[in-house]
Amino acid sequence: MKFFIDTANLKDIQEAVELGVLDGVTTNPSLMAKEGIGGVDNVMAHYKRICELVDGDVSAEVIGTTYEEIIREGEELAELHPNIVVKVPMIRDGVKAIKYFSEKGIKTNCTLIFSAGQALLAAKAGATYVSPFVGRLDDIGHDGIQLIEQIVNIFGNYGYPTQVLAASLRHVPHLIQCAEVGADVVTCPLNVITGLLNHPLTDKGLATFLADHKKVNG
């Protein structure tokens, strides 16, 4: 399973890179705004900086919602760096644009997926990734992990190469559950990835080892 970090914060990305487990990055307009990055030129320059840090796919989201806008923005983004994946919303014109991009060899990530039917449409159109939102489904009383499992099974039935990128992960159990049901990729904040390091018995065991070492070595 691939680990992506869901952020536009360069410090967090660098920390994830140094940990040695980072496979890619996902971003969106909200994450860019959180970092105070506005204006087309600034956003484009920031995407380039992210690509320079990461040896893997970097999802960069279009703002447009019409077919023509999505195509224009997507082609501009794809020209920035070979690592760029054009992130397209799950709307009618988005699906049409994914088909266009797939025929042009441009990688895509279909975002805001909340049903298996939406994921199937995106895969049929040739999306590189689909991004079902686990946490947001859980927020409204639906089972986000069940959706991940359903999509994984459907894609497996028909041999779709589209990768299931589990998004909107809130905590470590989400990540582990996604691994259990076969998600190809997870994307989450840095603290969820680093949370995998933690277990009280690890801390207790290490403290014991160090204490015993100190007894005999001073």
Side-chain angles (χ1 to χ4, degrees):
M1 186 172 68
K2 297 177 185 176
F3 283 9
F4 287 6
I5 185 173
D6 193 36
T7 188
N9 184 285
L10 297 180
K11 183 179 178 182
D12 282 356
I13 294 169
Q14 183 61 44
E15 185 175 341
V17 169
E18 291 172 357
L19 188 59
V21 299
L22 188 67
D23 298 295
V25 172
T26 57
T27 63
N28 60 47
S30 297
L31 292 172
M32 284 288 188
K34 184 179 179 181
E35 299 303 317
I37 302 160
V40 174
D41 290 344
N42 290 332
V43 169
M44 292 294 201
H46 199 73
Y47 281 135
K48 283 185 177 180
R49 285 193 285 271
I50 293 173
C51 289
E52 289 165 0
L53 289 175
V54 180
D55 183 19
D57 286 344
V58 175
S59 285
E61 189 163 346
V62 299
I63 304 298
T65 55
T66 68
Y67 177 77
E68 293 76 17
E69 290 170 341
I70 294 170
I71 295 301
R72 176 181 54 79
E73 291 179 39
E75 289 183 331
E76 290 173 356
L77 287 168
E79 289 176 1
L80 286 176
H81 196 280
N83 289 358
I84 289 289
V85 176
V86 179
K87 199 172 185 183
V88 179
M90 169 37 71
I91 55 176
R92 182 183 295 268
D93 280 5
V95 173
K96 290 169 61 178
I98 288 169
K99 180 64 174 177
Y100 171 87
F101 289 136
S102 68
E103 292 174 348
K104 296 290 185 180
I106 295 173
K107 293 179 288 186
T108 54
N109 176 0
C110 189
T111 190
L112 294 170
I113 297 282
F114 293 98
S115 75
Q118 290 177 325
L120 184 57
L121 278 176
K124 287 280 289 182
T128 312
Y129 301 97
V130 292
S131 289
F133 279 39
V134 174
R136 294 194 194 185
L137 280 170
D138 286 359
D139 290 345
I140 61 168
H142 292 253
D143 189 337
I145 299 298
Q146 185 179 48
L147 176 61
I148 300 297
E149 185 174 19
Q150 188 179 24
I151 297 169
V152 168
N153 288 336
I154 291 171
F155 286 7
N157 285 343
Y158 301 104
Y160 286 117
T162 302
Q163 297 180 58
V164 180
L165 193 166
S168 185
L169 303 190
R170 304 283 173 75
H171 42 64
V172 168
H174 268 163
L175 193 157
I176 297 301
Q177 289 168 334
C178 285
E180 288 176 331
V181 300
D184 299 291
V185 190
V186 291
T187 188
C188 52
L190 177 61
N191 70 293
V192 176
I193 295 175
T194 56
L196 295 171
L197 294 165
N198 302 325
H199 195 284
L201 292 180
T202 301
D203 297 337
K204 182 179 179 181
L206 181 58
T208 299
F209 295 157
L210 293 177
D212 290 344
H213 174 79
K214 188 175 182 180
K215 287 177 185 176
V216 296
N217 291 280

